[in-house]
Amino acid sequence: MNIDLEIYSPVQQLHDELFDERGLQVFVKRDDLIHPIISGNKWRKLKYPLKQARAENKTHLVTFGGAYSNHLLATSAAAAQFGFRSTGIVRGEEVSNDTLFLCRLHGMNLIFTDRGSYRDKAALFDEHFGNDPEAFFIDEGGASALGAKGVSELIDELTEPYDHIFCACGTGTTAAGIISGLHTQHLNTQFHGIPVLKNGEFLRTEIDKYLNAPAEYRLHTDYHFGGYGKTTDGLIQFIKRFVSSTGVLIDPVYTGKMMYAIYDLASKNYFRPGDKILAVHTGGIWGLLGMKDRFK
Ligand SMILES: *Cc1c(COP(=O)(O)O)cnc(C)c1O
């Protein structure tokens, strides 16, 4: 069975008075439409690792994540679709939630582990699957050079030039892929990363690890809203307004923070009139389910 999905990720313009006033054109690349579960950057990051697993006759994907991890969920569905078994090693004590329910429904075996042991993923893999010759290690969040290679293909799909491109950053793999893709295509689009964690400057080291050539890019580290998985009433209000006026679902963990940043920067005249901006919708809308209570 071929490991491939036909990519459906149209570019769509976002209309807003703010953008008209500032003379900006803002577009979204709808990677969230690639697949309902294996969505967005998670499919792009998994594509080449899965091909490698297949080439090495590995039949069992083993990966890692928190209890609300979009990556665990995407891996469970990709494993089911492409004929792998899957195990998710989950950080923290046993819990049940919508994400883990969907992981299990896709056949993923879950192993909960305390936060201390979780830090050493190689040791955990060895402990549980050291004797399983068919087990294939995929790092937390799909972070890898092969992951970045998959993401870089997003740039090949663009049919128009943009002045700016934005994405939300967790491990930085997606950012690295986009930056590499821009470099390969000789585009001088300015890349902007929105770290969703506190003290996001550390991501420079992570991103640079995956780049073949040094690159200039910007990280806007003030849009974490308190840290990973944290949110504020202001961000929730923004998401309600955005979703109800565009029909594009975003979540408070990743794409909500990115979109907020674009609107905020636009309102502060960060861009030049006439600029064309592309926001990458990296998917992950199931993250909303873990935050329902905040929307009351
Ligand atoms: C995982 C995820 C990210 C972060 O991607 P990295 O490659 O880890 O930086 C961004 N957006 C969404 C929706 C995600 O699920």
Side-chain angles (χ1 to χ4, degrees):
M1 189 196 322
N2 249 351
I3 297 174
D4 257 313
L5 286 180
E6 194 178 323
I7 298 284
Y8 177 69
S9 172
V11 170
Q12 199 176 302
Q13 188 165 6
L14 285 178
H15 296 282
D16 194 282
E17 248 175 48
L18 171 66
F19 302 147
D20 295 342
E21 279 165 20
R22 312 291 149 127
L24 305 172
Q25 285 180 285
V26 181
F27 300 84
V28 207
K29 175 124 173 92
R30 297 292 307 272
D31 266 15
D32 55 316
L33 299 180
I34 289 177
H35 187 282
I37 308 284
I38 321 172
S39 75
N41 64 345
K42 297 302 185 282
W43 164 248
R44 295 193 187 271
K45 291 199 280 185
L46 282 169
K47 177 177 161 183
Y48 288 105
L50 263 55
K51 285 177 185 286
Q52 187 186 343
R54 177 64 41 89
E56 294 175 5
N57 291 317
K58 308 281 189 184
T59 59
H60 179 190
L61 307 178
V62 178
T63 194
F64 305 82
Y68 289 98
S69 165
N70 294 328
H71 165 72
L72 279 186
L73 181 53
T75 305
S76 72
Q81 177 157 347
F82 298 113
F84 295 94
R85 284 185 299 132
S86 67
T87 294
I89 299 186
V90 188
R91 182 181 63 236
E93 69 281 8
E94 178 147 8
V95 286
S96 52
N97 64 36
D98 296 318
T99 301
L100 297 176
F101 157 69
L102 288 170
C103 287
R104 284 203 170 99
L105 184 60
H106 286 95
M108 181 173 256
N109 171 44
L110 300 177
I111 300 174
F112 293 87
T113 186
D114 66 87
R115 282 154 204 273
S117 323
Y118 186 81
R119 286 196 193 100
D120 192 346
K121 300 188 180 62
L124 277 172
F125 181 84
D126 281 346
E127 178 191 333
H128 292 281
F129 304 105
N131 295 324
D132 179 352
E134 301 198 335
F136 186 81
F137 177 97
I138 300 177
D139 209 345
E140 182 177 28
S144 62
L146 282 181
K149 172 180 151 84
V151 173
S152 73
E153 295 175 352
L154 180 160
I155 299 300
D156 307 339
E157 295 162 21
L158 302 179
T159 56
E160 286 181 50
Y162 298 89
D163 300 294
H164 307 273
I165 186 165
F166 279 77
C167 85
C169 305
T171 66
T173 308
T174 302
I178 293 173
I179 295 165
S180 305
L182 292 170
H183 181 79
T184 308
Q185 297 279 359
H186 307 291
L187 294 169
N188 52 13
T189 307
Q190 175 70 53
F191 176 83
H192 303 264
I194 307 298
V196 301
L197 322 87
K198 248 188 210 162
N199 305 318
E201 266 306 319
F202 82 91
L203 278 172
R204 253 177 220 284
T205 321
E206 298 304 306
I207 293 171
D208 291 348
K209 265 199 322 215
Y210 300 125
L211 298 181
N212 294 322
E216 190 274 323
Y217 56 89
R218 294 183 202 168
L219 294 178
H220 301 269
T221 54
D222 294 332
Y223 294 104
H224 57 73
F225 295 87
Y228 183 75
K230 300 280 192 333
T231 187
T232 64
D233 290 340
L235 180 59
I236 298 293
Q237 292 313 320
F238 169 80
I239 290 173
K240 284 184 180 172
R241 260 201 322 276
F242 180 88
V243 174
S244 60
S245 66
T246 63
V248 178
L249 264 183
I250 54 175
D251 78 279
V253 183
Y254 290 106
T255 51
K257 293 180 180 179
M258 171 194 65
M259 282 298 179
Y260 187 103
I262 293 173
Y263 278 70
D264 191 55
L265 291 168
S267 74
K268 291 173 174 160
N269 293 317
Y270 178 85
F271 305 107
R272 283 170 311 188
D275 276 356
K276 274 173 74 176
I277 300 158
L278 183 67
V280 178
H281 194 317
T282 39
I285 50 170
W286 297 99
L288 274 167
L289 295 179
M291 295 255 184
K292 279 177 295 200
D293 294 348
R294 293 300 303 259
F295 284 79
K296 292 206 169 117

